[in-house]
Amino acid sequence: MHSKTPRPAFSRHFTYRNLAWFSLVIVTLAAPFVVYWTTSIESAHELPYGRFKQKLVAGEIKRVKVGPTWIVGERTTPDAKGGTVTARFHTSRVGLESDAELPALLAKHIADADYEAEPGPSSIQTVVLPSLMLTVLIVALWFLMRRAGGMGSAMAFAKSRPRIYQKDERRITFEDVAGNEEAITELREVVEFLRTPEKYHALGGRIPKGVLLAGPPGTGKTLLAKAVAGEAGVPFFSLSGSDFVEMFVGVGAARVRSLFQQAEAKAPCLIFIDELDALGKTRGTGSGNHDERDQTLNQLLVQMDGFDANRGIIMIAATNRPEMLDPALVRPGRFDRQVVVDRPDITGRESILKVHVRTVALDDEINLRHIAAMTSGFVGADLANLVNEAALLAARKGKTSVGPDEFHEGVERVIAGPEKRNRVLLHEERLRIAYHEAGHALVSRSLPQTDAVHKVTILGRGSAALGYTLYRPEDDRFLHTRTCLDSMIASLLGGTMAEEIVYGEISDGATSDLQRATQIARKMVTDFGMSPKIGRVSYQSGSQGSGYLGSGNSEYGCSPHTARQIESEVRRILVLAEKAARAILVARRGALEEITESLMARESIDANELREILDKYPFEIRPVATFQDVN
């Protein structure tokens, strides 16, 4: 699907094979010189030049051969028996070639027959061999640089290398995108401009220079950008924000300029930058030196101001964190339009499932609406993974079509991971897990505004879960009341309370439950204004400031006194939810025991089996605003 244009970067062509050839050429050229010099000086004892002259005067030197930078010969040395031994020596004369005393000393102390003065270097040694070596080296470098794409390719890393999707390649259209009808409607105008720009020019209109797609991961932002290019039938330049970031100062800015030069040559076209936050973070924030990133961002701002939207170059960018982008980047005139690509609702999830099951053999009894209802909170990537998991499960079982059981199992695999049937647990541990999960299900079904329990099991999934309770919302919920959040916290604490009622103590298996319950309670106090004591004030949880007093110790951006009040309110909400869960479990102890027995016998129970058990133990659900009246 990608274009066949060559990639000129020097580093991509300078492979290990080329490096081996280059090394072989150097070794071949150096070998004659090494052999020449090593054979010219025979293996002998090293004798400093000064000591050589002393030995010469003392008469211990018997025979010498003088070269331009060395002297070799024989000298006599005394042995242990009082005699003499002849040994070979060599002396280096580097830097001492102008010693005028040496010829006279040699003539005085060594007979003429024992003195051999070596002639100076020949023209072959001084001219031919060095010239030959230099010529071969230049030819080798020229050959390597030619294979790499020319001398300019050594700096090709400063050029932008986007993926270019041409007109004749397979295109993605809006038919391949589902669940984001609002975003598609916004982007159709961009497509119409690229198709018929004269319609807008006649009215003096200007298409947005940039469109920013913001939303959670996996919602289909990149797919939407490709669909715009596919519908318009124009070249599509695709890059990531991190492609511009380098350790060398100026490289990112050069790549931005190169990108827009390539786009202008192929206009009308689309430029798509994924993960824009890697490039366009707010300048002047954080610690450390960000000169390179700031220069790259400044160059992008200049380029977006410099090109005329009526020339047909439109930039589309995607990010998961739009709040981190520099205000100068998202202002009108650059990214004029911001499109939110949110999680799909039940209708959108059904549409996405229809797209992904086009090539999957389904049973006749499959109800995609029912599956969409089970997948509340799933994004497009999750649903694609769900369909694939269901198909793999059906193939593993040897089936010819994918049925509801495979989709149900696929939902659980996507949410909690693969099932751990081979995990060996003690009977006491399995019983405690059964009480824990029964407590979750019982409290959840006994409180108002809670999601329906779809399945309760003591079979572990993933790396940590020893059992779980699967909830299935009947409808998409976009708002949560205080009663709903209180019931959610009590349901999370129901497992721990069940263990305490039965065993008198709790285990360490409720870590995630406590974390989620505490997080919900803290948001109720700091974000949602649901605490009567704190009032309708928002203290954003998380470190978003240095604190009201500047101490930096408060994660709420307030004074230490207010932070203590917030913690006190969070604790109060958790204590009231704990009391509510305990009261329900004590009042319906019989249902708790029967659910536990069913789990120990069958390991899993579904919603119908749970309903049959609870019908035997009626309980009045009181829709109260708080849990203070639950006794």
Side-chain angles (χ1 to χ4, degrees):
M1 184 174 181
H2 300 160
S3 64
K4 303 299 183 180
T5 56
R7 305 169 76 175
F10 178 76
S11 60
R12 297 173 186 264
H13 291 275
F14 196 83
T15 60
Y16 290 109
R17 182 180 178 183
N18 293 335
L19 182 61
W21 278 106
F22 184 75
S23 302
L24 181 61
V25 170
I26 297 299
V27 171
T28 304
L29 293 175
F33 294 92
V34 174
V35 172
Y36 173 78
W37 292 113
T38 55
T39 55
S40 297
I41 303 177
E42 301 179 7
S43 176
H45 177 70
E46 174 71 23
L47 185 66
Y49 184 73
R51 288 184 58 80
F52 162 74
K53 294 174 67 175
Q54 295 176 2
K55 299 290 185 181
L56 184 64
V57 174
E60 297 181 7
I61 304 299
K62 300 303 181 182
R63 180 182 176 85
V64 294
K65 182 178 180 181
V66 181
T69 59
W70 45 266
I71 300 174
V72 296
E74 297 178 353
R75 69 185 181 94
T76 58
T77 58
D79 59 5
K81 299 180 179 181
T84 59
V85 177
T86 302
R88 298 192 63 81
F89 73 92
H90 69 86
T91 299
S92 175
R93 296 184 61 221
V94 177
L96 303 172
E97 292 80 359
S98 62
D99 190 347
E101 301 178 359
L102 182 60
L105 287 174
L106 292 174
K108 181 178 180 180
H109 297 285
I110 300 178
D112 293 341
D114 295 331
Y115 172 66
E116 296 180 5
E118 184 179 13
S122 64
S123 59
I124 296 179
Q125 297 174 350
T126 58
V127 178
V128 177
L129 287 179
S131 300
L132 179 62
M133 182 177 180
L134 181 61
T135 303
V136 173
L137 182 61
I138 293 175
V139 171
L141 289 176
W142 175 83
F143 174 74
L144 292 176
M145 295 300 293
R146 182 182 179 185
R147 291 197 61 186
M151 293 296 293
S153 64
M155 293 298 294
F157 65 90
K159 297 182 180 180
S160 178
R161 296 185 296 271
R163 294 180 179 178
I164 305 176
Y165 299 83
Q166 300 291 351
K167 297 180 180 180
D168 55 349
E169 299 180 22
R170 180 189 178 274
R171 312 299 287 183
I172 296 175
T173 64
F174 286 140
E175 294 182 358
D176 302 311
V177 183
N180 295 294
E181 297 302 328
E182 297 84 359
I184 292 176
T185 302
E186 292 285 338
L187 294 174
R188 285 191 185 277
E189 190 173 359
V190 177
V191 174
E192 288 297 324
F193 174 82
L194 292 173
R195 284 179 174 175
T196 57
E198 60 278 359
K199 181 174 67 174
Y200 295 88
H201 295 165
L203 298 175
R206 179 183 63 84
I207 199 67
K209 289 185 179 180
V211 179
L212 180 62
L213 304 177
T219 51
K221 299 182 291 295
T222 304
L223 187 65
L224 275 170
K226 292 182 179 180
V228 173
E231 290 284 343
V234 297
F236 180 71
F237 294 78
S238 177
L239 298 97
S240 173
S242 59
D243 291 337
F244 297 95
V245 181
E246 289 286 349
M247 64 178 294
F248 302 105
V249 177
V251 173
R255 288 182 176 177
V256 172
R257 291 190 294 268
S258 174
L259 171 64
F260 279 87
Q261 290 173 0
Q262 296 179 53
E264 290 178 1
K266 292 183 176 292
C269 64
L270 282 173
I271 299 176
F272 175 65
I273 301 180
D274 201 3
E275 305 298 340
L276 182 64
D277 49 273
L279 169 65
K281 289 183 180 178
T282 302
R283 291 165 290 183
T285 59
S287 59
N289 190 358
H290 300 290
D291 289 343
E292 166 61 9
R293 192 188 70 190
D294 291 348
Q295 288 184 20
T296 306
L297 176 57
N298 291 337
Q299 186 63 47
L300 178 62
L301 298 178
V302 171
Q303 291 293 337
M304 293 190 69
D305 268 343
F307 74 87
D308 185 3
N310 289 331
R311 288 188 297 177
I313 302 177
I314 298 178
M315 177 174 287
I316 301 179
T319 180
N320 304 327
R321 299 180 290 180
E323 70 280 355
M324 299 184 64
L325 298 179
D326 194 282
L329 183 61
V330 296
R331 71 161 175 81
R334 291 193 175 111
F335 284 104
D336 304 81
R337 183 170 298 179
Q338 298 187 23
V339 179
V340 178
V341 187
D342 207 349
R343 298 179 183 273
D345 55 13
I346 185 172
T347 303
R349 293 195 299 274
E350 183 180 5
S351 301
I352 295 174
L353 287 172
K354 290 180 180 178
V355 171
H356 290 300
V357 299
R358 290 174 180 172
T359 58
V360 178
L362 299 178
D363 282 351
D364 295 335
E365 57 187 34
I366 283 290
N367 187 341
L368 294 180
R369 183 76 176 187
H370 176 70
I371 298 174
M374 295 173 55
T375 55
S376 178
F378 278 36
V379 296
D382 296 328
L383 296 171
N385 189 28
L386 168 61
V387 174
N388 185 63
E389 289 288 347
L392 294 178
L393 289 171
R396 186 182 306 171
K397 297 176 182 178
K399 300 177 64 174
T400 58
S401 60
V402 183
D405 294 339
E406 286 73 38
F407 274 100
H408 294 168
E409 174 69 14
V411 171
E412 296 184 36
R413 289 177 67 91
V414 173
I415 294 176
E419 193 173 76
K420 301 290 184 181
R421 283 190 172 272
N422 296 328
R423 180 179 290 166
V424 179
L425 297 175
L426 299 175
H427 176 77
E428 292 78 7
E429 290 181 336
R430 293 180 70 251
L431 184 60
R432 181 182 286 271
I433 296 171
Y435 274 115
H436 185 100
E437 300 303 331
H440 283 309
L442 182 57
V443 173
S444 179
R445 288 296 305 272
S446 302
L447 290 174
Q449 301 184 23
T450 57
D451 294 331
V453 178
H454 177 67
K455 182 180 180 181
V456 185
T457 180
I458 59 174
L459 292 175
R461 283 186 177 271
S463 59
L466 301 177
Y468 65 95
T469 302
L470 180 63
Y471 299 93
R472 189 186 69 187
E474 296 179 352
D475 298 298
D476 291 331
R477 182 176 294 175
F478 301 98
L479 294 175
H480 298 84
T481 63
R482 180 176 175 180
T483 300
C484 175
L485 296 175
D486 284 335
S487 300
M488 194 180 301
I489 296 174
S491 300
L492 290 170
L493 298 178
T496 302
M497 290 299 98
E499 290 187 46
E500 184 172 332
I501 291 173
V502 175
Y503 295 101
E505 61 178 357
I506 64 173
S507 65
D508 60 353
T511 303
S512 60
D513 296 335
L514 295 177
Q515 290 176 349
R516 292 174 57 195
T518 305
Q519 182 182 14
I520 294 173
R522 182 172 286 117
K523 284 185 173 293
M524 291 173 64
V525 177
T526 60
D527 297 352
F528 305 150
M530 293 182 178
S531 169
K533 186 174 183 179
I534 300 299
R536 308 295 184 259
V537 181
S538 175
Y539 298 98
Q540 291 291 333
S541 57
S543 300
Q544 301 203 6
S546 59
Y548 178 76
L549 298 180
S551 61
N553 296 325
S554 172
E555 64 171 326
Y556 303 113
C558 59
S559 66
H561 175 70
T562 304
R564 287 193 294 270
Q565 288 183 323
I566 291 174
E567 293 297 334
S568 176
E569 283 297 285
V570 172
R571 184 180 298 273
R572 182 185 65 83
I573 293 175
L574 293 174
V575 169
L576 292 177
E578 178 183 334
K579 291 181 178 179
R582 181 185 295 274
I584 293 172
L585 294 171
V586 171
R588 310 186 78 176
R589 179 64 182 270
L592 177 65
E593 297 292 343
E594 188 167 346
I595 295 173
T596 303
E597 292 177 1
S598 298
L599 287 174
M600 292 295 292
R602 297 194 295 272
E603 295 182 332
S604 301
I605 59 175
D606 57 19
N608 295 329
E609 295 170 333
L610 180 62
R611 185 185 308 108
E612 293 176 0
I613 296 175
L614 295 181
D615 289 343
K616 303 177 185 178
Y617 305 90
F619 182 79
E620 180 183 356
I621 299 179
R622 291 171 288 178
V624 294
T626 66
F627 291 131
Q628 294 180 356
D629 60 343
V630 179
N631 299 317

